[in-house]
Structures are given as C-alpha cells and as structure tokens.
C-alpha cells in the first residue's frame, strides 16, 4: 500500500513492505491518555504580540544605523526619540545664531567711492607795507605771539562716541586728521615743494589720480589746485626762514550717516619766510606769511582701519601775495617792504576766530596785523555743513570780510 509521499509508481522494490507493522510497533509504546491531551495546549501569539519587545519579528537596529536593510516595523518609542533629537538640533542651531548675532553685530558695508576734492584758494594782497625783521621778533610782535609751535598747536577736542561710532573710532578719525595737517602744512620737504608722498599716503585710493594730477599739472579749476591739498612755496621765490611754524585752530567731528564720520579742521599757520635769493642771515630779510586752512575730511570704516582720509573740501586764504600770482601751483610771498598792491575789496583777517566767511573774489586784501588770542573753540558735534550743489567750486566776484 502506498502512503503519502511515496513515488507515483509506488515504493521501490524491497522498501515499504511491513511498514504498517513497523509503525504499529513504534506507536504501541506511546500512550496518549486524556490527561496528556489536556496538558498539551497550543498557544499562538497574535500579530500585535509578535511585534512586542519579547518576540520581535525582525532584528532591532540602532536609530543611528546607516547600513543593512530597512526595518519592517517602527515602534512609537523610536519615533519619539527621533523627534526629540530633531527638536534639540533646531534649538541648538537657533541658540548659535542668536549668540553669533550678539557677539558679531552687523557692520554696515563700506561707503561708495570717495568724491573728488573741491577746493578754493584765495590770495590775500597786503593793505600796507609788508613788515620785515628777524623771525623771532616778527612772531613776538605779531598776532601769532601766543600761538603754539608746530604740531603742538593742533589739539584734539574732547571725544565722545556717536550713535554708530565708538570712542576709539572717533579718536582714530581725529588723529588721522591731525596727521594730515602735520604732513601737509608742517613737513619741511612738502613746504619746499620737494615732496608730496607724505600727504599722498594718507589719502583714500579713489582720490590718488586727482591728487597726482594736481601735483603735476595744477590748475585753479576748483579740482586740481596743489595748494588745496597741501602748503608749499615756490622755491624760486621764497624759502622758510624758521622751521618753528606757529599754529592755532580747532578740530570738530560729526557723524554724517551710519557709515561715515567727518572732521572739520580750521587752522591758521604762520610761516617766517625770506626771499630765495637773499642772504639766510639777513637781519631784516624775513617776513610773516599766513595761511588759513579750513578742511573737511571724511572717514568710512575702511578708511579708519587703513588710517587714511577722504579730503572732501578745502578753503584756503593765504598772504601777503600779489593778486596777479596764481596760487594753485604754490604760494609766492611778497618780500618785506613791499607796499600795498591793490585797493577796493573788504579786508579779510585770517587770524579772526570763528568760522571764516567765504572770500568771494579771486583776490582778497590782508587785514593789518593785530594781536589775536589763540582759538580754543569747543568741539562741534552738529552735522557737518556741506557745500550746496549750486555753489561754484571757484570764488565769486565780490569778496566779503569775515565776522569779527
């Protein structure tokens, strides 16, 4: 007899015969009584139970695992942990952003290109004969008797921070302005017309082309006067007889916008000069030459870091000079004893305190010397006054005298 699992043609010969008897003998020793059957209960876990921790259907993987096959199931606990990690990452990123914002406040970008210099240079003709004598006597008996010598006459005002610039940045702007005044008004080589580099290195790169053209081809067009950038004398006409230049004036600063500071300088420089062809030790060969310079310098944050300045405007009156001389290239002082060369315009006093009025003519008249105290005005922090767009770069036709 074939049994399930036998080949279709029956069991091979010699196999299967006596199987029934063998099976009966094997099972005869096994007794399935009622008590055994009741104890042999079968229990099968449900699908939900098989998903539990005690009987996982698949191998558990770490939540940080990157290899292997993807788990077929995802427990609520694992999803909660992933959510907590995501929230923690977002909170950490937000905290870092806030911290970096507090530690590194936004710095406005640097300003645009520097605007070109606008300059006005006015010669002052003498109203009487030019006094002569020894430099020491001329200083002691003239308006500059109380002035300080050299850089000591360029004093910094009291410093306080502005809305967008710190105390240190204001001090830096003022110190750069002082350096510019020293190099452009007191350096012996600059005064002699032998050098211009000490001034050039303090200028914004955007103004260097204009400065170089002013040095090589000066012009009285309001843009390219060499004497708008610096003080220099024609070496063929006069030389400095005493290196101890007398100086008095004021500095003021103002924040013109969140990205720029401006410094206003107003100083009178008094030089003892003598004719270039005269004897150096001549007793009465020296005379005083006075230059009043009002400059407006601008500094953005990049300029402060590089210690350079943008010279925005310059208003200069200087004398005694002849009205026929062109002061754009260099100053040509009249020698001692030279009488008045012009009459008519109101006299302009370069020693007068306060903001000078613009001498409107192409030539002014130098007021007779009077004793003047040194100027010690407090720092001004109001916005710097700018030249109106309609005001010409060159002087007008009728000069006026400054307010006393």
């Amino acid at each position: 007899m074939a049994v399930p699992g036998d080949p279709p043609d029956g069991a091979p010969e010699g196999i299967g015969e006596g199987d029934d008897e063998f099976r009966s003998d094997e099972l005869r020793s096994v007794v399935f009584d009622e008590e055994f059957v009741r104890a042999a209960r079968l229990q099968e876990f449900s699908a939900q139970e098989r998903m539990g921790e005690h009987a996982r259907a698949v191998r558990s993987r770490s939540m940080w695992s990157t290899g292997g096959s993807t788990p077929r199931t995802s427990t609520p606990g694992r999803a909660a942990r992933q959510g907590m990690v995501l929230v923690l990452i977002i909170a950490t990123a937000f905290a870092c952003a806030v911290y970096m914002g507090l530690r590194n406040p936004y710095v406005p970008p640097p300003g645009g290109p520097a605007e070109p210099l606008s300059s006005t240079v006015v010669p002052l003709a003498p109203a009487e004969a030019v006094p002569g004598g020894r430099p020491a006597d001329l200083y002691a008996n003239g308006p500059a008797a109380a002035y300080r010598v050299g850089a000591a006459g360029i004093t910094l005002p009291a410093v306080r921070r502005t809305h967008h610039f710190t105390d240190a940045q204001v001090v830096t702007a003022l110190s750069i302005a002082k350096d510019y005044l020293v190099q452009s008004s007191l350096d012996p080589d600059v005064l002699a017309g032998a050098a211009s580099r000490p001034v050039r290195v303090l200028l914004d790169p955007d103004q260097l082309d204009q400065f170089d053209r002013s040095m090589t081809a000066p012009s009285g067009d309001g843009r390219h006067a060499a004497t708008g950038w610096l003080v220099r004398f024609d070496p063929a006409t006069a030389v400095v007889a005493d290196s101890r230049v007398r100086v008095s004036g004021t500095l003021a600063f103002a924040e013109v916008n969140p990205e720029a500071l401006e410094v206003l300088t107003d100083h009178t420089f008094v030089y003892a000069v003598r004719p270039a062809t005269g004897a150096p030790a001549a007793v009465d060969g020296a005379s005083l030459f006075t230059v009043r310079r009002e400059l407006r310098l601008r500094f953005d944050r990049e300029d402060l870091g590089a210690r350079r300045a943008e010279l925005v405007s310059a208003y200069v009156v200087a004398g005694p000079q002849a009205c026929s001389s062109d002061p754009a290239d260099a100053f040509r002082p009249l020698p001692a004893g030279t009488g008045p060369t012009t009459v008519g315009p109101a006299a302009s006093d370069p020693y007068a305190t306060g903001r000078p009025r613009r001498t409107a003519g192409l030539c002014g008249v130098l007021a007779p010397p009077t004793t003047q105290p040194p100027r010690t005005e407090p720092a001004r922090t109001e916005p710097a006054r700018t030249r109106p767009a309609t005001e010409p770069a060159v002087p007008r036709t009728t000069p006026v005298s400054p307010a006393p």
Side-chain angles (χ1 to χ4, degrees):
M1 179 181 71
V3 295
D6 288 341
D9 296 334
E13 185 179 354
I15 299 176
E17 295 180 2
D19 284 348
D20 292 340
E21 296 178 1
F22 173 78
R23 290 172 182 154
S24 298
D25 294 339
E26 289 290 327
L27 298 176
R28 193 173 290 121
S29 61
V30 179
V31 179
F32 296 96
D33 55 9
E34 184 179 356
E35 183 180 356
F36 174 82
V37 172
R38 284 198 303 267
R41 294 179 181 177
L42 297 178
Q43 183 178 358
E44 182 180 359
F45 291 111
S46 65
Q48 183 66 31
E49 291 172 329
R50 288 199 300 271
M51 292 173 60
E53 292 293 333
H54 65 283
R56 287 187 177 274
V58 295
R59 178 172 56 88
S60 298
R61 291 175 52 194
S62 170
M63 63 185 304
W64 307 112
S65 175
T66 58
S69 59
T70 303
R72 297 179 183 177
T73 60
S74 176
T75 64
R78 180 186 174 194
R81 288 195 299 271
Q82 289 178 332
M84 292 179 61
V85 171
L86 181 61
V87 171
L88 180 61
I89 292 174
I90 295 175
T92 303
F94 180 76
C96 290
V98 173
Y99 175 78
M100 295 300 293
L102 295 175
R103 293 286 296 175
N104 298 284
Y106 171 71
V107 177
E115 61 182 88
L117 167 67
S118 175
S119 61
T120 300
V121 183
V122 180
L124 298 180
E128 57 184 28
V130 178
R134 295 179 181 273
D137 296 335
L138 293 173
Y139 282 134
N141 299 322
Y147 287 9
R148 295 181 179 181
V149 176
I154 306 174
T155 57
L156 303 185
V159 174
R160 56 181 176 271
R161 64 167 298 146
T162 65
H163 187 63
H164 295 94
F165 291 87
T166 65
D167 295 349
Q169 289 173 319
V170 173
V171 170
T172 299
L174 291 170
S175 63
I176 297 172
K178 179 175 180 177
D179 290 344
Y180 187 88
L181 288 172
V182 170
Q183 298 300 329
S184 64
S185 307
L186 301 175
D187 186 280
D189 292 334
V190 173
L191 296 178
S196 61
R197 179 173 173 76
V199 180
R200 190 180 190 274
V201 297
L202 293 174
L203 292 173
D204 188 282
D206 292 335
Q207 292 187 315
L208 294 183
D209 289 342
Q210 183 187 13
F211 177 83
D212 293 340
R213 179 179 171 185
S214 301
M215 297 299 108
T216 57
S219 172
D221 60 357
R223 297 293 189 194
H224 300 95
T227 48
W229 300 94
L230 48 79
V231 176
R232 70 180 184 184
F233 298 100
D234 181 4
T237 303
V239 295
V240 177
D242 188 346
S243 60
R244 296 170 296 178
V245 181
R246 302 309 196 266
V247 184
S248 179
T250 59
L251 288 169
F253 63 90
E255 178 182 313
V256 292
N257 59 59
E259 301 176 8
L261 279 172
E262 280 193 355
V263 174
L264 299 177
T265 76
D266 181 9
H267 289 80
T268 298
F269 300 86
V270 185
Y271 306 87
V273 297
R274 60 175 179 81
T277 57
V283 174
D284 298 327
S287 61
L288 296 183
F289 187 84
T290 305
V291 179
R292 177 80 173 267
R293 304 183 74 196
E294 182 187 354
L295 309 180
R296 181 159 60 97
L297 300 102
R298 182 173 298 166
F299 305 86
D300 59 27
R301 298 177 191 276
E302 188 176 357
D303 292 329
L304 294 175
R307 292 197 63 84
R308 66 194 185 202
E310 302 172 17
L311 183 57
V312 179
S313 66
Y315 182 77
V316 182
V317 293
Q321 296 183 91
C323 285
S324 58
S325 66
D326 182 8
D329 179 16
F331 296 130
R332 297 170 178 83
L334 293 174
T338 303
T341 60
T342 184
V343 294
S348 298
D349 187 358
Y351 295 92
T353 59
R355 190 176 183 85
R357 292 185 180 179
R358 298 290 193 251
T359 301
L362 294 175
C363 184
V365 176
L366 181 64
T370 57
T371 302
Q372 296 282 350
R375 285 168 287 161
T376 56
E377 296 180 0
R380 295 172 293 175
T381 56
E382 70 273 9
R385 186 167 70 104
T386 58
R387 184 187 297 274
T390 57
E391 183 176 350
V394 296
R396 293 185 289 273
T397 55
T398 306
V400 294
S401 59

